[in-house]
Amino acid sequence: RKEVEQDPGPFNVPEGATVAFNCTYSNSASQSFFWYRQDCRKEPKLLMSVYSSGNEDGRFTAQLNRASQYISLLIRDSKLSDSATYLCVVYNNDMRFGAGTRLTVKP
Amino acid sequence: EAGVAQSPRYKIIEKRQSVAFWCNPISGHATLYWYQQILGQGPKLLIQFQNNGVVDDSQLPKDRFSAERLKGVDSTLKIQPAKLEDSAVYLCASSLVPAARETQYFGPGTRLLVL
């Protein structure tokens, strides 16, 4: 079983749609959780950290369920510029990246 | 503020040749990481430095890969000899302190193709 698993997609959605990505992790001792965004042929960039209480940043909402070892990212009112690969990242002494979920937002 | 710098940006070599990549982290960042990202996969940590000491190199294929950060600033990653499966993007990242709640900043990467 992979340490961090994500649905690879691709997710193709129209502008304005709401889309949700899921991620599961295998190490129950994991300490910190993040979502990174990676544009095509570019480096990953931090989108947001994920806290136990859930957190929101504009159109983006991240949630963590430690009991189920599950992390989610919700994007509301999708924009064309949201098209990218979204990487789920789990930290336990080092950063473990999922393979990413590819999102394409279409006009 | 200048970001993480890497060079070269692209490299094409034949199998069994050697190759070296260079990274200059953000000024003041004590922690430096090298990742390998194979097409269609997420980045995989190869090695982590804290200043000039190795913190974690458990996933570094030490028979062919080596890395150093002699003065606690710049770092080089070497592959000798290269194999076809080493074709990937090699990403360098840095952070002020080891990443728990601290953001890692990535460089643009070096795209390696082994023929």
Side-chain angles (χ1 to χ4, degrees):
Chain A
R1 182 184 172 188
K2 292 180 183 177
E3 291 194 55
V4 182
E5 295 208 57
Q6 296 183 248
D7 181 342
F11 284 63
N12 298 308
V13 302
E15 273 188 288
T18 296
V19 62
F21 305 138
N22 302 321
C23 170
T24 58
Y25 60 96
S26 60
N27 189 340
S28 59
S30 298
Q31 303 156 34
S32 304
F33 309 89
F34 309 88
W35 284 100
Y36 273 70
R37 171 192 169 131
Q38 187 170 27
D39 291 295
C40 188
R41 301 179 73 83
K42 298 285 189 181
E43 70 272 21
K45 292 185 179 178
L46 179 67
L47 178 66
M48 59 197 304
S49 301
V50 187
Y51 304 120
S52 296
S53 54
N55 47 299
E56 190 173 307
D57 182 1
R59 299 181 292 108
F60 298 84
T61 301
Q63 294 202 311
L64 167 65
N65 184 323
R66 284 188 183 270
S68 301
Q69 294 178 206
Y70 169 94
I71 306 159
S72 66
L73 177 68
L74 182 77
I75 305 176
R76 291 182 300 279
D77 189 22
S78 300
K79 311 292 185 191
L80 296 176
S81 57
D82 294 335
S83 297
T85 296
Y86 291 83
L87 298 163
C88 175
V89 186
V90 174
Y91 177 83
N92 179 27
N93 298 318
D94 62 49
M95 302 281 265
R96 299 291 169 132
F97 286 75
T101 299
R102 194 160 146 200
L103 171 67
T104 301
V105 181
K106 299 184 173 178
Chain B
E1 179 183 85
V4 177
Q6 289 188 247
S7 68
R9 293 295 308 276
Y10 304 92
K11 191 75 179 178
I12 300 174
I13 61 172
E14 294 187 349
K15 60 183 179 183
R16 291 189 288 275
Q17 284 188 321
S18 301
V19 65
F21 313 127
W22 174 82
C23 173
N24 180 242
I26 292 173
S27 178
H29 280 195
T31 312
L32 184 147
Y33 314 80
W34 282 102
Y35 288 87
Q36 179 193 59
Q37 186 172 22
I38 293 171
L39 189 64
Q41 299 181 19
K44 182 183 90 170
L45 180 69
L46 294 175
I47 189 167
Q48 176 183 338
F49 292 95
Q50 181 65 21
N51 296 309
N52 61 349
V54 175
V55 172
D56 182 359
D57 63 357
S58 56
Q59 299 190 91
L60 187 74
K62 298 180 189 62
D63 57 334
R64 297 184 301 106
F65 286 64
S66 64
E68 59 183 15
R69 193 184 184 200
L70 291 176
K71 297 183 180 178
V73 180
D74 294 4
S75 177
T76 55
L77 176 69
K78 295 179 182 177
I79 307 176
Q80 182 180 6
K83 293 185 175 181
L84 297 178
E85 58 262 34
D86 298 333
S87 294
V89 177
Y90 290 84
L91 294 161
C92 180
S94 70
S95 60
L96 271 173
V97 294
R101 292 199 177 277
E102 176 64 30
T103 302
Q104 288 191 18
Y105 296 89
F106 285 84
T110 296
R111 199 169 293 271
L112 174 68
L113 179 60
V114 182
L115 301 176

